[in-house]
Amino acid sequence: MIPAIKFENVCYEKDELSILNNINGVFNKGKITTLVGPSGAGKTTLLKLCNGLYSATSGEIYIQDNPIHSYEPTTLRRKVGIVLQSAPIIRGTVYKNLALPFTLQNKKLPENEAIKFLNDVGLNESFLHRQAEDLSGGQRQKVSIARTLINQPEVLLLDEITSALDPTSVNEIEQLILKINQKYDVTIIWITHNIEQAKRVGDYTWVMMEGQLIESGETNILWTNTNKLIQNFVSGVTEA
Amino acid sequence: MSYTTLSLTLIFVLIPLVLSKSLKLDLEKDTIIATVRSIIQLLIVGYILKFVFETESIIYILLMITLMIVAATLNARKKGKAIKGITWKIALTLIVVEVVTQGILIGLHIIPATAQYIIPISGMLIGNSMVLSILFLNRFTAEVESSRDQIELVLSLGGTPKQAIHTQLTNAIKASMIPTIESQKTIGLVQLPGMMSGQIIGGADPVQAVQFQILIIFGLLTTAALSSIIVGFLSYPTLFNERMQIIKNV
Ligand SMILES: Nc1ncnc2c1ncn2[C@@H]1O[C@H](COP(=O)(O)OP(=O)(O)O)[C@@H](O)[C@H]1O
Ligand SMILES: [Mg+2]
């Protein structure tokens, strides 16, 4: 297996507080790795390290075998795209939001391109000129996913992207991500609160707790694991 | 005006003191401090100005302007403590404002190059520049604080720090300039500007007083634009590190 991303003794501290503690592991190229763990485990922090929004305090992250800092930050961030948990939107229309990755490179996103991406996330053409601020939480999440896809990232980082969606939409988005994964050979790291989702979509799964990677491996093997912590977590004991 | 006559104006201080006392506003102490300070500061300035005007030496003029810039810088930097190197950034802004405005005024012979013109006009423009810098810094830190998510979003999609902060920067620049522009729309209608009033009371021809006021108004516009834009463009890079990451705790 070729690692798309490799973590080597990665620690991340903030205000002298340890957020991530000695993370080691690989994310295999072209595969979907689901990332589970209770709130505050450090999952979001780990994704932001991959996208270059944060830098590790110690240790090294490799992107396709090159140290992460050997990439220009803007190049890295287009290559390793993230859909942020809070699904932030910028003021203006849905089109303006979708076109943002292009605008940042002084390019213009053709409207039909934008519509294609909208359709991909289950929104129709009529949304294009709506004000993004008027959208529901779920619709914002969909726009946010489409916006990241516009950069055509080689690695896609997803941070609880279906948390505000109804079951039908969840299914739609899961199918979309699986399709993108297969069609473009995109490597995906997918944080989810939903254990069933983690099992459904993951080739591999990482279980995180209190800043540590406590278990990782092929998804279907992992859930038969006897590790008490994981069993507790799976059965929802550590979930608030 | 004699000092005896001037002392009669202390009645104006007495009125708020009595009101504060009887209504328990608890403002007596501050009122007294403000009164004493304004008397001392203005008298000192008056005598210094008199001295500088009489000697008409370029050294003293430069010294006065330097003092103004130092005082204004120390005042304004309190609002931007979180921004690295804010002191020299504000100082540089004030210096640019002063050089540009005086350069135009003196260079084009709009005013004579004498202390009597240079110092009061510098004072007004530097003071305004200081207020603008404070307005800008207040607004800018608030904007950055409330739109951290949007800034991070633009960075995460491959935007540069300049692109990420663009909206917050321009919002803060605009917001800090609006009071200057707005106040000029109604100028003269409700209240006469302080400088113009002073000149008229001092016996100057009202039309000439108006001409100087117009000069100041235009100067203030330039000052406003220059101040917020320069402070803004000098400040925003310090919110990011060399890996284009937003630095926390602004
Ligand atoms: N901006 C922040 N300021 C302070 N603490 C933070 C911030 N972001 C994350 N943390 C802390 O880092 C830890 C990990 O957070 P996070 O990565 O968001 O976890 P998760 O995504 O697994 O819920 C938590 O203890 C959280 O309190
Ligand atoms: Mg999170």
Side-chain angles (χ1 to χ4, degrees), chain B residues 24-49:
Chain B
K24 295 196 170 54
L25 298 180
D26 208 17
L27 292 172
E28 299 96 285
K29 198 173 147 215
D30 280 327
T31 310
I32 291 172
I33 291 175
T35 309
V36 174
R37 277 190 64 162
S38 59
I39 293 174
I40 295 174
Q41 287 167 4
L42 286 176
L43 282 179
I44 293 175
V45 168
Y47 282 107
I48 292 178
L49 284 179

Side-chain angles (χ1 to χ4, degrees), chain A residues 200-217:
Chain A
R200 252 192 331 264
V201 300
D203 298 311
Y204 298 89
T205 297
W206 282 28
V207 183
M208 291 187 64
M209 228 170 263
E210 292 173 0
Q212 309 213 14
L213 174 61
I214 57 165
E215 200 70 58
S216 66

Side-chain angles (χ1 to χ4, degrees), chain A residues 49-52 60-63 66-71 76, chain B residues 243:
Chain A
L49 283 171
C50 297
N51 175 260
E60 187 65 85
I61 297 170
Y62 296 90
I63 307 286
N66 301 310
I68 194 165
H69 285 182
S70 67
Y71 293 92
L76 170 73
Chain B
R243 291 294 301 166

Side-chain angles (χ1 to χ4, degrees), chain B residues 58-88:
Chain B
I58 185 76
I59 308 266
Y60 287 120
I61 297 178
L62 286 178
L63 195 65
M64 280 290 294
I65 291 171
T66 308
L67 279 178
M68 286 176 190
I69 289 176
V70 169
T73 302
L74 294 180
N75 205 356
R77 74 166 177 174
K78 289 179 214 147
K79 295 295 170 191
K81 281 213 180 91
I83 293 165
K84 216 164 57 195
I86 191 63
T87 307
W88 75 261

